[in-house]
Every structure is written in structure tokens, then in C-alpha cells.
Amino acid sequence: APVAPAAKPGKSSAAKNAPASSSSSKPATSAAVSVSKEIGQLKIGGTSRPHSQQSNVETRVSATTPTDESSAPPQQVKSKKRIDVVAAYSKEQKSRETLNLVVVGHVDAGKSTLMGHLLYAMGQVNERAMRKFERDSEKIGKGSFAYAWVLDETEEERSRGVTMDIATSSFSTKNRKFTLLDAPGHRDFVPNMISGASRADVAILVVDASTGEFESGFDGNGQTREHAILIRSLGVRQLVVAINKLDVIGWSQERYDEISGRLFDFLTGCGYLKEDVRFVPVSGLKGVNLVRRIDAVGGEAAPGELTSWYKAAAAGDSNVIPGAGPCLVDLIDTFTMPERPVSKPFRLAVTDFFKGGSFSSGNSVSVSGRIAQGHVQVGEQITLVPGGSAGVVKSIDVDYEAEEWAVAGDSVVLMIQDIDIQQFSIGAVVCASALASKPIQAVTRLEAQLVVFDPQVPITNGFPGIMHIQSLNVPAVIHKIIETFDQRTGEVVKKRPRHIRKGATARVEIRTETPVCLELFKDSKDLGRVMLRKNGETIAAGIVTALYSQ
């Protein structure tokens, strides 16, 4: 289905009539939440160049979005008998549990090839389609990209050999169901990577073991380091590091130990717990050690150089029977499920929207995204923020299957009727009916606790940048530096400092050009995180501690 055109930048009428600098504005609420446990390592090595291309997720809040509809009563719609979703979920929880898995890493690390081969080996891609990918990729001289084409679907991605946007798929292992988010590795598309990572529960970090390639991704301007910090800043705690292309260097144990050692020290310094970081040697192109252990019956032809040293004991996995170490699927199958805030008020941040969909009628709009909290069911009344427009959920697709209800953590497509497509925008939030609970706030002023990474210039009052929230990014300014403090003790180091140094933790006031939908971090971990970037460089990340009413 065609995607709706992006909204043009501009301020809403509410923002124009109520200046953000108004002295009568008061904080809606505040929270003293320590940022040190949620944002880990404070350093991104090297400098980066400006974006050469705008990402397709950099959509501004529409100037045409109405802000005076919140008083309009939701339309009463005849619906089916109401389902007790919380009770139904508790009964079906085991069968419905799904983890959102993002795959990240430096450009050309082989992420799409690795995951495309994994999907093929697990039966998610049929033989006929795979043979077509092989023929078509050979025709343009890119035969080694055939598995990558499973996920890289656009003509531009295939011709350039670079993932540009988030590709999604799904698969199941013995104990888990996964929604796969394949993120781009090129620095020009970091905003798209952030959009995907903001929906993730767990991650695979893919690194290239080839001589010199790991160093180019990890040192200097590489994305291996930045991606690891970004996903940790966005709440991902569990990580598998796939050391790819080891076959190119003869499955060298020395190289594997060197890379895993450097990354382990770095990742635990970023805030990952040592028990939540695991490593696995793989070959995405040859399919070695992806879905079967190298000593498994019916597994891949085991390279002797790998079987000689990759053992279960050496991998530190006591749950695997003696023999070869675990394969990639073995490791992701042991990811633990995070707690889902099913009982909180419904929130879904819009990542995409389009006219029509399954069972479409003339006044229906389909919106996609991951449910941040709460639950929703067919026939339920909802409120769209900004604007306060009221509508009704007509259908729900969860991972491409029609369902009567969905809960926090589900990646869904909701068909909503009675709200015009012009009211939707990337970053808008679909909430429970305003009659049932208070919707999320859309604000232009907020306070946040930030961890500063390694900006090219000091951060001072008036520092401009791009603020990322879920899939939305908007121009913003650090209007005021309130204080810096020690992230270990929480003690204030300095009030109203002139600048924030690299590695410091600070409380600041941020102002945005257009209203953005946010929650306090203490109320919503998904909707209470922000990230600041400038000139293609991530400069800070943090959590929302106060919101100011318009």
C-alpha cells in the first residue's frame, strides 16, 4: 500500500499561541531518576561527517495537525462483546510472547546476508524465491548478495548493496517467537537505525572479523561502537555478538579471542552486564553455525579449524550439552522475556501510516508501530495525539496475522476509522480513549537527564541539534543547562554551569520547534527516552524527568 506523503515542517497553532518561553508555564511533574543505569558508556570514538542524505523517518509534526479537537467527544460505535484482555493475555502469555530483535553493526559487516541466510535455513524463505534471488543477483554481478536480498527489497538497496531502511520479518525458535528488525549500518542512515532500535527488546551485534575490517568498524568513525552505545541507551540489555566472516581468515581462534576480548571490555563498560553479553563465531555467507551446532547431525559441513577449539565449555555455556559451542539460534533462544506493562494505559507510537489496508473502508487509515504499553482490541475507541481526534480500531494485525486484541510489546498494524489521514504523522501516539484515561502529552518544553558522549564542540546554553524520540526526530535546542552531577552518587557537582564536558551527566531544559509526544521515564521507559544528534554525530542520550504544559 502506498505510504502517505510526509508532513511539512511547521508549528501547530497551539505552539504559536502559547510561546514556550512563557514564564507562567509550570512543570507537569518531575522525577529524580538516575540516568547512569539506563545510559552506559559515555564515549563514542572519533568524529563523524554530516548526513549526505535525509532518512525517510525524519518527518516533522504536521503544521496542519489540529490542536483544538480534544474537546470533541469520541464517536459511539457498536462493537463486539468486550474482551478482558489482561485475563486473556495471562492465559495465553506463553504462546503469545514475542521478542523484538534488532540486528545492528558497521556497514558491510554482513548483517543482511547473515539474517537472510538464517531465515532461509529456518524455512522462512522458500526454495523457489531463493533461487530467483540467486539468478537476479548474478545478473548484476552481485551473486554474493543473494541472501541479503531476502531483507533488502528495494531496487536502490540491491543496486547499492547497502541497507537503507529497517527491514522486518518474523521467525520462531524452540522457545521464542521473534520479530526481526534488520537495521542499516551506514552512518547516513543512523536515524533509521534508531527508529528500529527504539522498538527492540534484544539485539544481535554483527562484526566483521576480516583483517582490518573489525578495526575500521570499532575504531575511529566506525558504527560498531556507536550502535552498541545507541541500543544500550534505548533500553536494550541483552546482546549476542556474532563474529562474522571468520571463514575468510581460516576460523582463527586467535582473531576470535582478540575481537571478543576487546568488545567484552567495551560493552561491560557501556553498562551491559557480563552475563547478558555472549559471543558466537559464524559465517553468514556459508551458513556455518547459524541454526545448527557444527557437530549436530545433519548440520553444516564442520570446518576442522573451528571444531578444534569452539567448545561449549569455552563458550561459557553450561546449558549446552558437551561438544561444540552453541550456534547463533541456540543463544538467541535463551533470551529472557522482559516484563510487559500490559495494565497501563494504551500507547502506540506511529512509525508509519497509510490509507486503507485489510477490510478497508473509505474513512480508514492503517498505522503501524510497536505497542509501548497497555492493550487494545477491535472495536475500542482511541484518541490520537497531537490533536485529540477520536476514532475506533477496526482491525488488528500482529506480525501479519489478524487478531482480536494486542498487548504491550506486539508489533502491530491497526486500522483506525473516523480519523482523517491528514491528522496522522510519524511520532504521533495512539492512546486509549480520552474518556477512559488521560492521553499522552504533546509538549515543546521538557527537562531531561543526559549523558554526554563525545561532541565535537562543548555543549552550552542554546546548543542546537536534532532530538530523536522513537521514529520521530525534530529540531531542538538545549535552552538551559540546569546542573551537572555525579552519576555514581547523584550529588550535584555544579549549578548552572557554562558548558557540559565530555562524559558528564547533566540536567537540562530542552525546547523543540514542534510539539512532541513524551512521557516521564518513571511512567514509561519506551516513551521517556530522548537522544540528541548533530551533524551526523550522536552527542547525548537520556531520560525525561519533567514535562511543561503548552
Side-chain angles (χ1 to χ4, degrees):
V3 178
K8 296 181 179 179
K11 291 190 177 182
S12 68
S13 58
K16 292 178 180 177
N17 296 332
S21 59
S22 172
S23 60
S24 61
S25 299
K26 295 182 179 180
T29 182
S30 62
V33 182
S34 173
V35 73
S36 61
K37 293 183 180 179
E38 295 301 328
I39 311 297
Q41 168 76 12
L42 307 180
K43 183 177 181 181
I44 296 181
T47 58
S48 40
R49 57 186 171 81
H51 285 298
S52 64
Q53 181 175 349
Q54 283 285 352
S55 92
N56 66 339
V57 298
E58 294 189 0
T59 308
R60 308 291 184 252
V61 177
S62 171
T64 62
T65 301
T67 56
D68 56 355
E69 298 184 12
S70 56
S71 59
Q75 178 179 348
Q76 296 298 319
V77 175
K78 295 180 180 179
S79 60
K80 299 179 181 179
K81 182 179 178 181
R82 296 280 293 176
I83 301 171
D84 186 340
V85 175
V86 175
Y89 176 68
S90 64
K91 292 179 181 178
E92 302 180 26
Q93 184 171 357
K94 188 66 177 178
S95 63
R96 290 184 63 99
E97 286 182 339
T98 300
L99 279 170
N100 298 283
L101 169 68
V102 68
V103 183
V104 298
H106 188 62
V107 64
D108 292 335
K111 300 181 297 298
S112 297
T113 295
L114 185 149
M115 297 312 297
H117 203 149
L118 183 145
L119 291 172
Y120 170 67
M122 298 190 74
Q124 297 299 112
V125 182
N126 63 53
E127 196 71 27
R128 182 178 178 183
M130 196 65 244
R131 298 290 81 82
K132 185 177 187 303
F133 292 149
E134 291 174 353
R135 290 193 303 271
D136 292 347
S137 60
E138 286 284 358
K139 287 179 182 178
I140 63 171
K142 295 181 181 290
S144 62
F145 285 34
Y147 290 113
W149 284 19
V150 172
L151 292 165
D152 293 343
E153 297 180 337
T154 69
E155 184 177 345
E156 185 175 4
E157 286 179 320
R158 292 179 174 182
S159 63
R160 293 180 58 179
V162 175
T163 301
M164 300 170 65
D165 203 351
I166 294 292
T168 61
S169 186
S170 61
F171 64 95
S172 297
T173 60
K174 181 179 179 181
N175 299 309
R176 293 282 179 264
K177 292 197 300 184
F178 290 93
T179 296
L180 173 64
L181 305 161
D182 183 32
H186 198 286
R187 67 171 57 256
D188 286 350
F189 308 112
V190 168
N192 291 13
M193 176 268 170
I194 293 174
S195 172
S198 66
R199 293 176 263 162
D201 302 305
V202 294
I204 296 174
L205 173 65
V206 182
V207 297
D208 186 344
S210 305
T211 304
E213 293 302 316
F214 167 72
E215 288 75 14
S216 67
F218 185 66
D219 301 325
N221 297 329
Q223 302 310 118
T224 301
R225 181 184 295 267
E226 183 177 16
H227 282 197
I229 294 173
L230 288 176
I231 60 176
R232 183 64 191 88
S233 301
L234 291 166
V236 172
R237 295 176 179 272
Q238 301 177 77
L239 180 68
V240 168
V241 180
I243 301 180
N244 194 23
K245 304 186 184 181
L246 264 179
D247 56 306
V248 176
I249 52 174
W251 297 100
S252 168
Q253 181 181 6
E254 182 180 357
R255 181 63 165 166
Y256 176 84
D257 291 341
E258 176 194 358
I259 292 173
S260 58
R262 290 189 64 184
L263 280 175
F264 183 80
D265 292 341
F266 169 72
L267 293 170
T268 51
C270 284
Y272 294 94
L273 299 178
K274 61 181 182 179
E275 59 267 26
D276 290 334
V277 178
R278 288 169 293 174
F279 298 84
V280 58
V282 297
S283 171
L285 184 61
K286 294 183 178 179
V288 176
N289 214 30
L290 297 185
V291 301
R292 294 185 182 92
R293 293 188 306 143
I294 53 179
D295 65 346
V297 176
E300 301 86 1
E305 301 95 330
L306 180 59
T307 56
S308 65
W309 60 266
Y310 185 59
K311 309 292 185 182
D317 194 338
S318 59
N319 295 320
V320 177
I321 60 175
C327 65
L328 178 60
V329 168
D330 286 337
L331 292 181
I332 66 175
D333 196 39
T334 61
F335 279 139
T336 58
M337 288 294 301
E339 184 179 352
R340 303 297 193 194
V342 175
S343 299
K344 289 188 174 183
F346 173 63
R347 301 281 190 269
L348 179 142
V350 176
T351 60
D352 196 6
F353 60 96
F354 51 90
K355 191 74 173 177
S358 304
F359 313 110
S360 174
S361 61
N363 63 343
S364 296
V365 177
S366 292
V367 301
S368 64
R370 173 177 175 267
I371 299 177
Q373 63 182 50
H375 53 80
V376 66
Q377 60 182 290
V378 174
E380 186 169 339
Q381 299 171 11
I382 55 89
T383 298
L384 181 67
V385 181
S389 300
V392 174
V393 177
K394 189 174 181 181
S395 69
I396 301 173
D397 283 354
V398 181
D399 290 330
Y400 314 107
E401 295 184 5
E403 300 283 357
E404 288 295 312
W405 50 270
V407 297
D410 288 341
S411 295
V412 301
V413 176
L414 303 183
M415 179 177 291
I416 298 173
Q417 68 177 19
D418 298 332
I419 301 181
D420 190 88
I421 194 169
Q422 295 295 326
Q423 314 303 320
F424 291 88
S425 60
I426 304 296
V429 176
V430 181
C431 306
S433 170
L435 298 178
S437 63
K438 183 179 178 180
I440 194 171
Q441 295 186 70
V443 301
T444 56
R445 294 179 61 202
L446 63 137
E447 282 185 14
Q449 289 181 196
L450 299 179
V451 170
V452 177
F453 299 141
D454 191 9
Q456 298 178 17
V457 296
I459 295 178
T460 58
N461 289 339
F463 186 92
I466 301 294
M467 187 171 78
H468 292 253
I469 315 100
Q470 296 280 320
S471 295
L472 175 68
N473 43 72
V474 295
V477 172
I478 295 181
H479 179 71
K480 180 169 59 177
I481 303 172
I482 300 171
E483 62 190 14
T484 58
F485 54 89
D486 188 319
Q487 64 173 331
R488 293 171 298 179
T489 65
E491 295 180 359
V492 174
V493 174
K494 190 172 184 179
K495 292 275 190 181
R496 298 181 180 178
R498 295 181 62 183
H499 68 276
I500 311 174
R501 60 180 175 82
K502 178 179 72 174
T505 304
R507 186 163 63 95
V508 301
E509 179 185 325
I510 300 174
R511 298 189 179 185
T512 61
E513 282 191 4
T514 52
V516 293
C517 297
L518 288 167
E519 296 270 22
L520 300 180
F521 179 78
K522 69 180 184 66
D523 297 329
S524 175
K525 287 181 168 54
D526 283 357
L527 299 172
R529 298 180 189 272
V530 295
M531 194 168 295
L532 289 174
R533 306 188 83 240
K534 184 177 182 180
N535 295 334
E537 177 188 13
T538 304
I539 60 171
I543 58 177
V544 178
T545 57
L547 300 171
Y548 293 81
S549 58
Q550 293 291 81

